[in-house]
């Protein structure tokens, strides 16, 4: 069934005309609303690009994904800053706070004090690490300009990492759909591993 659907895919030019804007919008949305599996999206797009004849397809996916992630981070940080400055807060600041466990926030604040904006790069690569670090930056009143400088390499490293996962999946399988399934499975495994580990550790520590 999947093979039949893939066999009916539109030409590369049509895929690119629809796929690149969709990737940008979904990644930017995922940065604002951290429930969209943006890593899986980038890996899947990289698999498709890997099997295309356009030599610049992978480079375009990297540029689209990293720029969309950066835009989403900046918008979310700006909205969070408004909440910090407001006496009544904001729904965006509350949403960020609700997604940051107290212990993760304390760790993020400590690492931010010790290493500065370098922590932003690592936070993008560690599953569920972006929100606690961003909240720590907000509570520490980090200026937007400084946050943006640290977020640029963070988004570039994040896009490169998940694109490499997609390239790996695309190189292991002859059909794009097979690589997409492998890449999505791997990214979901990476994303869910820390949460599973915390639950197992908490159960055995009782």
């Amino acid at each position: 069934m999947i093979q039949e659907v893939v066999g009916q895919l539109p030409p590369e030019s049509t895929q690119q005309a629809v796929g690149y804007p969709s990737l940008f919008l979904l990644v930017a949305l995922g940065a604002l609303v951290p429930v969209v599996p943006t890593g899986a999206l980038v890996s899947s797009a990289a698999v498709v690009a890997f099997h295309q004849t356009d030599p610049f397809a992978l480079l375009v996916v990297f540029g689209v994904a990293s720029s969309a992630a950066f835009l989403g981070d900046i918008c979310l940080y700006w909205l969070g800053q408004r909440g910090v400055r407001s006496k009544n807060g904001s729904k965006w600041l509350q949403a960020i706070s609700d997604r940051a466990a107290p212990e993760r926030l304390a760790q993020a604040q400590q690492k931010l004090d010790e290493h500065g904006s370098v922590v932003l790069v690592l936070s993008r690569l560690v599953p569920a690490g972006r929100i606690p670090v961003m909240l720590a930056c907000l509570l520490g009143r980090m200026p937007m300009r400084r946050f943006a400088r640290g977020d640029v390499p963070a988004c570039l490293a994040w896009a490169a990492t998940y694109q490499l996962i997609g390239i790996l999946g695309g190189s292991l399988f002859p059909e794009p759909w097979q690589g997409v399934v492998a890449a999505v499975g791997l990214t979901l495994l990476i994303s869910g591993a820390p949460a599973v580990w915390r639950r197992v550790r908490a159960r055995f520590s009782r």
Side-chain angles (χ1 to χ4, degrees), residues 1 14 25 30 48 67-69 71 73 110-111 114 137 141 160 192-193:
M1 179 64 181
T14 305
L25 291 175
V48 176
S67 58
L71 177 62
D73 283 355
Q110 180 181 356
K111 292 179 180 178
E114 294 174 354
C137 292
R141 305 283 179 153

Side-chain angles (χ1 to χ4, degrees), residues 117-141:
S117 56
V118 177
V119 179
L120 286 169
V121 178
L122 297 177
S123 72
R124 258 286 179 181
L125 299 178
V126 175
R130 181 176 69 100
I131 295 301
V133 171
M134 181 179 289
L135 183 58
C137 292
L138 287 169
L139 296 179
R141 305 283 179 153

Side-chain angles (χ1 to χ4, degrees), residues 81-167:
Q81 277 188 323
R82 293 187 61 187
V84 170
R85 294 167 183 166
S86 173
K87 293 182 179 180
N88 300 322
S90 71
K91 64 176 183 179
W92 288 102
L93 182 61
Q94 185 62 43
I96 297 174
S97 302
D98 291 342
R99 292 187 172 276
E103 64 275 8
R104 298 294 299 275
L105 176 58
Q107 293 175 1
Q109 288 175 321
Q110 180 181 356
K111 292 179 180 178
L112 195 62
D113 292 337
E114 294 174 354
H115 305 289
S117 56
V118 177
V119 179
L120 286 169
V121 178
L122 297 177
S123 72
R124 258 286 179 181
L125 299 178
V126 175
R130 181 176 69 100
I131 295 301
V133 171
M134 181 179 289
L135 183 58
C137 292
L138 287 169
L139 296 179
R141 305 283 179 153
M142 179 181 288
M144 173 66 78
R145 183 175 298 179
R146 183 183 173 193
F147 176 82
R149 285 200 303 265
D151 198 51
V152 168
C155 292
L156 293 175
W158 171 82
T161 299
Y162 282 99
Q163 184 163 3
L164 285 174
I165 294 175
I167 292 173

Side-chain angles (χ1 to χ4, degrees), residues 6-205:
V6 172
Q8 299 173 358
L9 288 177
E12 285 187 14
S13 58
T14 305
Q15 293 180 37
Q16 293 171 355
V18 176
Y20 294 150
S22 299
L23 177 63
F24 185 91
L25 291 175
L26 288 173
V27 171
L29 177 63
L32 281 169
V33 186
V35 293
V36 179
T38 53
L41 289 173
V42 175
S43 296
S44 301
V47 171
V48 176
F50 180 82
H51 285 278
Q52 291 182 345
T53 57
D54 184 358
F56 300 105
L58 285 171
L59 185 60
V60 175
V61 168
F62 174 76
V64 169
S66 56
S67 58
F70 178 75
L71 177 62
D73 283 355
I74 293 299
C75 290
L76 185 59
Y77 195 76
W78 178 76
L79 291 168
Q81 277 188 323
R82 293 187 61 187
V84 170
R85 294 167 183 166
S86 173
K87 293 182 179 180
N88 300 322
S90 71
K91 64 176 183 179
W92 288 102
L93 182 61
Q94 185 62 43
I96 297 174
S97 302
D98 291 342
R99 292 187 172 276
E103 64 275 8
R104 298 294 299 275
L105 176 58
Q107 293 175 1
Q109 288 175 321
Q110 180 181 356
K111 292 179 180 178
L112 195 62
D113 292 337
E114 294 174 354
H115 305 289
S117 56
V118 177
V119 179
L120 286 169
V121 178
L122 297 177
S123 72
R124 258 286 179 181
L125 299 178
V126 175
R130 181 176 69 100
I131 295 301
V133 171
M134 181 179 289
L135 183 58
C137 292
L138 287 169
L139 296 179
R141 305 283 179 153
M142 179 181 288
M144 173 66 78
R145 183 175 298 179
R146 183 183 173 193
F147 176 82
R149 285 200 303 265
D151 198 51
V152 168
C155 292
L156 293 175
W158 171 82
T161 299
Y162 282 99
Q163 184 163 3
L164 285 174
I165 294 175
I167 292 173
L168 177 63
S171 63
L172 290 177
F173 300 95
E175 296 293 335
W177 70 267
Q178 295 171 325
V180 169
V181 171
V184 169
L186 183 57
T187 53
L188 293 179
L189 179 63
I190 293 173
S191 300
V196 173
W197 169 248
R198 286 195 298 271
R199 291 179 182 178
V200 172
R201 187 175 61 180
R203 177 174 297 181
F204 282 98
S205 62

